[in-house]
Amino acid sequence: MEANRDRTQEEQDIAPPTTDTQTEIEPLLRRQSQTQSQRSQLSKQLTTRNAFAVLVSIQIGSGIFASPAQVDSNVPSPGAALLVWVVGGLLSWAGAASFAELGAALPLNGGMQEYLRHIYGDTMAFLMAWIYIMAVKPSSMAIQSIVIAESIGSVSSPDPLATWKLKTIAVVAFVSMVLLNSINTKITIKLSESFTVVKIMTVSLIVTGGLIAVLAHLVDPNSSISGSRDWYSKDWFQSRPSVSEGKPVDWNNISEWERFGHYSAAIYAGLWAYDGWDNANVVASEIRDPGRSLPKAIKLAMVVVLSSYELVNLAYYILLPWDLMSSSDAVAVAAARSLFGRPAGIIITVLVAISCAGSITSNVFAVGRLTVAASQRNYLPGFLGKRGLPRQFQKHTLTTSDSSSDDGALSCRSTNNEENSILSTYFDAPIYAHILALVITLVYILSGSFRALLTFVGMAEWVFYVATVIGLIILRSREPDLHRPYQPVLVLPIIFIVVGTLMIVRSAMFAPLQSGVLAALLVVGAVVSKLRR
């Protein structure tokens, strides 16, 4: 009898749940299924418009409002500067087309990191992730934050602000943008789209200012709003002395090798302004139909950006005296103020700051996903790949005194599990990756300067850009049957490789300090990669 009772009790213990228990469990299972479905949809939530917004937002940022000074100081004439901007745009377009092929054929989050791993192996991918996460992206965001500070400083006081004040403004601006982008992906996408509208509006206002100056001159050559006299009284292609890195340059008495070095520095500055054309590839797995959407977004973005940059630089040379172009890292603010006075300078300052904030948004978005991809490959500690709020901020199962019954406890657990699922779905940003980017970028803001960081970023990026496009040609030969929804003509990647290699070699000799730092980081990365294994 006792054995039978034990057996009966055991059967009850392992029996299927009763109807009442199922009533509690089934809604929870349905909610869990819905949450899994939402997470599945989350990975494919980016459209062509979203990818276009990310590309335009990250490209039209601090570069077009600051790097014209670096370009102008390294070329002999305004006409040569405008040609440099065209060359930089076409070169970036060739690289973007090459990356579009890889992004459509290998739609993996991580972009260039995953292409390098697929083509060359683990070590090369680790080096790229190491350099980008530890140097390139933080340096770029530091530059954008510094431009925000310098733009604000140029109109807030007749005298230049103290360095510590500029650094403080830059730090506050950057921390604010990281916090905004650490909520969820949808908010970041909406921010990118909003910032894109502001960027295009800012570019349009500057171009309109140049057009007004031209029209005013045609109506009245002595008009006070006809800009500087240089644009209609001087030869746009005549060489004139300039100052580069604090040293005067006499273009009539330097060797061709030195001239090529200056042109390389100018093209790097222009390319940095165009930089970001590869960032849609970082989130390729989150784009719907990447084989069609990614190339379309890249083409449209490059047309908009190249046209905008050429027109904006033309407006700068109309609005500003030519000898002032190379002396200001806030050239957009100086141009607006020279034509319409301090109120216009304040308006443009606000718009430039918002535009740079948009670039920071897109960079935070991209570096976060790159860090997640790197942690998933065990290039970085695993916790950096986690998304959402840290566990200590989530609600756990409650054990309260009035939940004495099993049904009450199950109901309480169901409620809290549902709340945790909602939280983890809403707060889906890679928080730990953002914290890492925040810390590293603050170091660059506090210790670096605009022009030193600019040269370093250009060299570091183009080493991996060229390596990736070389890999594209290798992949065409090694895997001819790989499905390629988009494939540009072979001449584009070849031009990109040749020109990019020449620039890297000459710039490494022209800027030995930056090239030495880059070489040291690559050596350290190789050692870390070996120890990691």
Side-chain angles (χ1 to χ4, degrees):
M1 284 289 288
E2 189 68 29
N4 289 337
R5 278 198 303 272
D6 292 342
R7 211 166 30 248
T8 301
Q9 182 64 42
E10 184 178 346
E11 289 170 355
Q12 291 175 353
D13 291 340
I14 64 174
T18 63
T19 303
D20 291 340
T21 306
Q22 286 177 331
T23 302
E24 297 287 348
I25 291 178
E26 286 175 357
L28 175 60
L29 295 176
R30 284 197 299 271
R31 286 192 294 269
Q32 290 174 341
S33 176
Q34 291 170 358
T35 300
Q36 291 172 355
S37 176
Q38 290 170 352
R39 288 175 179 170
S40 176
Q41 294 172 1
L42 181 66
S43 63
K44 288 290 183 182
Q45 64 182 315
L46 302 183
T47 63
T48 302
R49 187 186 70 181
N50 299 144
F52 167 79
V54 168
L55 286 168
V56 173
S57 181
I58 203 169
Q59 287 185 86
I60 301 180
S62 59
I64 189 56
F65 307 121
S67 59
Q70 180 82 340
V71 173
D72 183 77
S73 64
N74 282 287
V75 293
S77 66
L82 294 176
L83 290 177
V84 164
W85 285 100
V86 172
V87 170
L90 293 177
L91 193 59
S92 299
W93 200 330
S98 302
F99 271 59
E101 175 182 333
L102 291 169
L106 304 170
L108 304 169
N109 268 14
M112 185 162 45
Q113 170 190 295
E114 293 304 304
Y115 310 150
L116 291 171
R117 186 194 64 80
H118 185 84
I119 298 165
Y120 299 106
D122 196 63
T123 299
M124 190 68 168
F126 174 83
L127 286 175
M128 179 266 161
W130 169 267
I131 294 295
Y132 263 65
I133 294 170
M134 302 302 292
V136 171
K137 288 299 181 183
S139 295
S140 295
M141 291 186 289
I143 292 171
Q144 290 149 3
S145 302
I146 290 170
V147 172
I148 292 175
E150 290 187 349
S151 297
I152 293 173
S154 67
V155 296
S156 62
S157 172
D159 300 319
L161 290 181
T163 301
W164 70 269
K165 290 182 179 180
L166 292 174
K167 299 284 187 181
T168 301
I169 296 172
V171 167
V172 171
F174 178 69
V175 171
S176 300
M177 294 313 303
V178 172
L179 292 176
L180 279 175
N181 285 278
S182 296
I183 301 175
N184 67 24
T185 301
K186 289 184 178 179
I187 289 179
T188 300
I189 291 171
K190 290 179 180 178
L191 282 172
S192 291
E193 292 179 350
S194 300
F195 285 136
T196 300
V197 173
V198 175
K199 289 167 183 285
I200 294 175
M201 182 174 67
T202 306
V203 167
S204 300
L205 285 175
I206 295 172
V207 173
T208 301
L211 181 61
I212 290 173
V214 172
L215 293 176
H217 173 73
L218 293 176
V219 173
D220 180 8
N222 297 318
S223 173
S224 61
I225 60 171
S226 62
S228 73
R229 296 176 54 87
D230 293 343
W231 69 271
Y232 60 84
S233 63
K234 294 183 179 179
D235 185 349
W236 283 67
F237 287 92
Q238 183 178 1
S239 295
R240 83 280 196 250
S242 58
V243 178
S244 177
E245 300 296 332
K247 300 177 181 178
V249 180
D250 184 355
W251 294 97
N252 296 319
N253 295 309
I254 62 173
S255 67
E256 292 301 319
W257 184 243
E258 288 179 295
R259 185 182 294 265
F260 180 56
H262 284 289
Y263 270 101
S264 297
I267 292 175
Y268 264 144
L271 289 172
W272 180 78
Y274 285 106
D275 184 48
W277 45 262
D278 64 305
N279 276 273
N281 294 61
V282 175
V283 291
S285 71
E286 297 181 38
I287 298 175
R288 300 171 194 166
D289 189 10
R292 181 187 65 85
S293 299
L294 190 58
K296 186 177 179 181
I298 288 174
K299 286 180 181 179
L300 184 58
M302 291 308 302
V303 168
V304 171
V305 174
L306 197 157
S307 302
S308 299
Y309 281 11
E310 196 67 16
L311 290 172
V312 168
N313 278 279
L314 189 61
Y316 286 153
Y317 282 110
I318 292 172
L319 297 173
L320 279 176
W322 291 355
D323 59 350
L324 295 181
M325 273 292 294
S326 61
S327 62
S328 174
D329 290 333
V331 63
V333 177
R337 189 171 53 192
S338 69
L339 185 63
F340 298 112
R342 191 166 182 270
I346 293 174
I347 294 172
I348 292 296
T349 296
V350 172
L351 294 176
V352 167
I354 294 174
S355 297
C356 293
S359 292
I360 294 173
T361 291
S362 296
N363 268 310
V364 170
F365 182 78
V367 75
R369 272 61 186 178
L370 181 60
T371 304
V372 169
S375 68
Q376 290 171 348
R377 291 289 179 189
N378 295 319
Y379 297 160
L380 295 172
F383 74 89
L384 291 173
K386 293 182 180 179
R387 295 172 182 255
L389 290 173
R391 189 175 298 275
Q392 59 267 31
F393 291 103
Q394 297 185 20
K395 295 183 178 180
H396 296 282
T397 302
L398 297 179
T399 55
T400 58
S401 57
D402 58 353
S403 300
S404 55
S405 67
D406 290 341
D407 290 347
L410 179 58
S411 177
C412 189
R413 284 195 296 272
S414 300
T415 301
N416 284 282
N417 284 335
E418 180 183 4
E419 291 177 352
N420 287 341
S421 297
I422 293 172
L423 283 174
S424 61
T425 301
Y426 183 75
F427 293 98
D428 68 339
I431 301 295
Y432 293 103
H434 288 180
I435 292 173
L436 177 65
L438 174 67
V439 173
I440 298 173
T441 303
L442 289 179
V443 172
Y444 284 107
I445 290 174
L446 296 173
S447 63
S449 65
F450 176 86
R451 300 199 180 192
L453 290 171
L454 185 62
T455 304
F456 173 69
V457 168
M459 292 176 60
E461 286 178 325
W462 277 79
V463 167
F464 292 102
Y465 285 160
V466 171
T468 303
V469 178
I470 290 173
L472 178 148
I473 297 177
I474 294 173
L475 202 62
R476 285 191 184 185
S477 174
R478 193 175 73 191
E479 300 181 30
D481 297 329
L482 180 67
H483 178 58
R484 294 175 173 85
Y486 174 76
Q487 187 171 336
V489 294
L490 186 60
V491 68
L492 287 179
I494 290 176
I495 290 174
F496 185 87
I497 292 167
V498 172
V499 177
T501 301
L502 289 173
M503 286 174 46
I504 291 169
V505 172
R506 181 62 187 98
S507 296
M509 302 174 67
F510 191 70
L513 177 60
Q514 288 89 334
S515 61
V517 172
L518 177 59
L521 281 172
L522 289 171
V523 171
V524 171
V527 172
V528 171
S529 177
K530 185 175 181 179
L531 294 175
R532 180 181 60 85
R533 292 182 180 181

